[in-house]
Amino acid sequence: MNSSMEKVSSNKVKLRLELEAEAFEEAVQKAYLKMRNRINVPGFRKGKAPRMVIERMYGDGVFFEEAFDIVFPDMYRKAVEENHLEVVDQPSVDIETMEKGKNLVVTAEVFVSPDVELGAYKDLDVQRETDEVGEEAVDHEIEQVRQRNAREIEVEDRPVQDDDIVNLDYAGSIDGVPFEGGTAQGQNLTIGSGSFIAGFEEQMVGMKVGEEKDINVTFPEDYHAKELAGKPAVFHVKVNAIHVRELPALDDEFAKDVSEFDTLDEYKKDVRAKLEEQARQQADAQFENALVEAVVKESKMDIPDAMIERKLDEKIQDLALRMAYQGMRFEDFLKYTGQTEAQVRDQFRDEATNVVKGELVLKAIRKAESLEPTQEEIDDVTARYAKASGKDVEEFKKGLNEQQLEYIKEDAATIAVLNLLKKEAKKAE
């Protein structure tokens, strides 16, 4: 099989594929053996009619289409490999010659990863954000842990106050008629949280354990249940219990309870170290994104629609997976939000386009600089993936297949390009 390539545009090529007549004849014979059981020929049992008899009845080309389907995938694959193409869509195929005793000649136009006209990517005037962590950030993080470790204590000697956790029963009605979803028993409500309809929680302040009363509210005009929107309602409520949250004291005992450290000072130092590492990673990510955006802005490329659609497919799959983790099907998410999949895709379109542009300029810089990741860089990426999977590095390596190893190498190459951009930036730190 011979192939040649012609560049149609910056993102499309035309392949000319030619298969020798003998090879195509072999494919025709395979097609005959595959199809003969489906062809009725008078005077022969099904599947027993000779090929020449069938061709005499139906024409020489009766098996050509099937033969083409047999040989073309391999012809196309070899041509793509020989010409080192990164195809991004299905080819548009045209058969020039497909006749008995002649070479099979086919042309295939296909979109490929586009040429990138790189703009400047060195001496970029991009500022890296500070990764300093203030004392207030440390205090906030510790306070969050403190809130998660608070105890709930029941109180019986006073009425409901703001910030109390009230266990209540309620039954709602409109014009004396109960409505769906308006009744519950043993419900916990934090007063002042704004969890219930405006005015509900405020009217509970002052109630005592065991007390019952009617609470009058009006549903918001934009309430999600349209049949209730804007309507006045009455909730008959009963207070079953009142609890308050008691926060643990910030002392060494607290540090021992929530960490591996014996003193509060040691715990604070560890919290600071982790926050500083997070801030460093976030500042690095922001810096890298800003550098790539700067290169993209100055570069030119004609991206095939198929590349954007493929990236959108990934975004939708990722969203569906996140929905699944929350116990919701993607179809139910669409129904609940009143959207179609096409609308969701459109919301991601700009983001997907920018991601594709970023990937293309990084590849173009790698090619321009002849950058290949060092073994140390590959080992660093491998160690990161091993840690994320909770495995020892050597154990993790043993389980990798060729495709996964190539993915890690490509990841390391991307990091190498980003490191180059950071090193060459005017204000890199």
Side-chain angles (χ1 to χ4, degrees):
M1 196 276 291
N2 298 315
S3 69
S4 60
M5 185 191 75
E6 172 191 349
K7 204 165 182 63
V8 177
S9 66
S10 66
N11 64 11
K12 182 185 277 191
V13 299
K14 183 176 183 179
L15 295 169
R16 187 177 187 278
L17 318 175
E18 185 169 358
L19 182 69
E20 295 79 3
E22 295 79 6
F24 186 60
E25 167 59 26
E26 291 178 7
V28 173
Q29 179 64 17
K30 290 179 182 178
Y32 157 69
L33 295 174
K34 181 178 179 181
M35 297 176 63
R36 61 183 177 179
N37 288 331
R38 304 198 300 265
I39 300 176
N40 290 317
V41 178
F44 293 91
R45 285 183 295 162
K46 186 174 286 188
K48 297 299 182 179
R51 175 180 155 188
M52 66 177 63
V53 172
I54 298 175
E55 289 176 337
R56 193 178 304 126
M57 285 187 63
Y58 296 99
D60 289 340
V62 62
F63 300 115
F64 283 4
E65 184 175 341
E66 185 69 29
F68 178 83
D69 290 343
I70 291 172
V71 297
F72 178 74
D74 194 49
M75 292 171 63
Y76 178 67
R77 178 186 58 79
K78 287 181 179 178
V80 168
E81 291 176 355
E82 288 172 0
N83 291 280
H84 308 289
L85 299 176
E86 185 180 346
V87 299
V88 299
D89 202 0
Q90 294 299 316
S92 175
V93 180
D94 182 43
I95 299 173
E96 288 190 2
T97 305
M98 188 165 64
E99 300 177 24
K100 188 174 182 178
K102 293 185 178 181
N103 290 354
L104 172 67
V105 181
V106 183
T107 60
E109 287 194 3
V110 63
F111 284 104
V112 295
S113 184
D115 296 332
V116 177
E117 185 181 330
L118 276 174
Y121 58 88
K122 294 183 179 180
D123 295 323
L124 296 173
D125 190 4
V126 177
Q127 180 66 55
R128 183 181 185 277
E129 291 185 356
T130 179
D131 55 12
E132 294 180 1
V133 175
E135 194 64 32
E136 67 280 359
V138 178
D139 291 341
H140 176 74
E141 182 68 20
I142 292 175
E143 182 61 24
Q144 294 293 102
V145 176
R146 192 170 171 233
Q147 291 288 339
R148 290 196 295 270
N149 285 271
R151 296 188 305 158
E152 289 188 11
I153 299 175
E154 188 171 359
V155 295
E156 299 177 342
D157 58 348
R158 65 165 177 78
V160 174
Q161 299 177 0
D162 276 342
D163 298 324
D164 284 348
I165 301 170
V166 179
N167 184 275
L168 71 152
D169 301 335
Y170 61 83
S173 61
I174 294 178
D175 296 330
V177 179
F179 54 85
E180 184 177 354
T183 301
Q185 294 182 330
Q187 183 87 13
N188 284 332
L189 170 65
T190 300
I191 303 302
S193 65
S195 303
F196 278 28
I197 302 169
F200 188 103
E201 295 166 28
E202 293 85 344
Q203 294 180 60
M204 290 200 66
V205 173
M207 292 184 67
K208 297 178 180 179
V209 175
E211 182 178 348
E212 301 182 38
K213 68 181 285 189
D214 286 341
I215 290 179
N216 294 283
V217 294
T218 300
F219 282 97
E221 293 291 343
D222 59 352
Y223 195 65
H224 63 84
K226 294 181 179 180
E227 67 276 9
L228 303 177
K231 293 186 178 179
V234 178
F235 285 87
H236 184 78
V237 302
K238 177 184 177 183
V239 175
N240 299 319
I242 302 171
H243 291 84
V244 295
R245 289 167 56 83
E246 183 180 76
L247 296 174
L250 282 175
D251 53 22
D252 292 345
E253 289 302 315
F254 169 74
K256 291 177 183 178
D257 288 340
V258 301
S259 74
E260 61 191 72
F261 302 100
D262 293 326
T263 68
L264 184 61
D265 284 343
E266 290 176 316
Y267 174 55
K268 281 188 175 182
K269 288 178 182 178
D270 181 67
V271 170
R272 172 175 286 281
K274 289 176 179 175
L275 289 177
E276 287 175 344
E277 176 60 19
Q278 291 175 10
R280 184 192 65 77
Q281 292 177 358
Q282 290 173 357
D284 275 349
Q286 179 275 332
F287 189 38
E288 291 169 357
N289 290 337
L291 288 167
V292 173
E293 287 174 9
V295 181
V296 166
K297 187 176 180 181
E298 298 301 321
S299 301
K300 296 179 181 179
M301 65 202 85
D302 185 11
I303 303 175
D305 290 340
M307 293 189 75
I308 307 298
E309 294 303 320
R310 184 182 298 175
K311 188 61 64 176
L312 285 169
D313 289 341
E314 294 175 10
K315 295 282 184 185
I316 294 298
Q317 290 169 6
D318 181 62
L319 176 61
L321 186 59
R322 285 187 280 120
M323 292 292 104
Y325 283 144
Q326 297 174 24
M328 181 183 295
R329 296 188 311 155
F330 180 62
E331 294 78 6
D332 294 333
F333 165 76
L334 293 176
K335 183 178 180 181
Y336 180 77
T337 57
Q339 300 180 94
T340 64
E341 182 175 335
Q343 289 172 324
V344 176
R345 291 176 75 89
D346 282 342
Q347 291 172 16
F348 283 127
R349 192 167 297 279
D350 287 345
E351 180 184 345
T353 301
N354 290 333
V355 170
V356 172
K357 287 180 177 179
E359 292 173 348
L360 288 171
V361 297
L362 289 174
K363 286 182 180 179
I365 294 171
R366 177 185 175 184
K367 182 178 180 180
E369 295 287 334
S370 300
L371 265 180
E372 289 299 326
T374 64
Q375 188 58 50
E376 182 180 358
E377 289 169 330
I378 294 172
D379 289 343
D380 286 343
V381 174
T382 305
R384 174 161 53 85
Y385 280 115
K387 183 178 180 181
S389 67
K391 294 182 179 180
D392 172 77
V393 175
E394 294 305 317
E395 178 189 3
F396 179 75
K397 284 182 178 179
K398 290 178 183 177
L400 295 174
N401 58 37
E402 187 175 340
Q403 185 177 2
Q404 291 167 329
L405 286 168
E406 186 62 26
Y407 180 86
I408 288 174
K409 183 179 178 181
E410 290 300 309
D411 199 357
T414 298
I415 292 172
V417 175
L418 291 171
N419 287 338
L420 171 70
L421 292 179
K422 288 187 285 188
K423 178 182 177 182
E424 297 291 340
K426 281 185 179 179
K427 297 184 179 181
E429 298 178 2

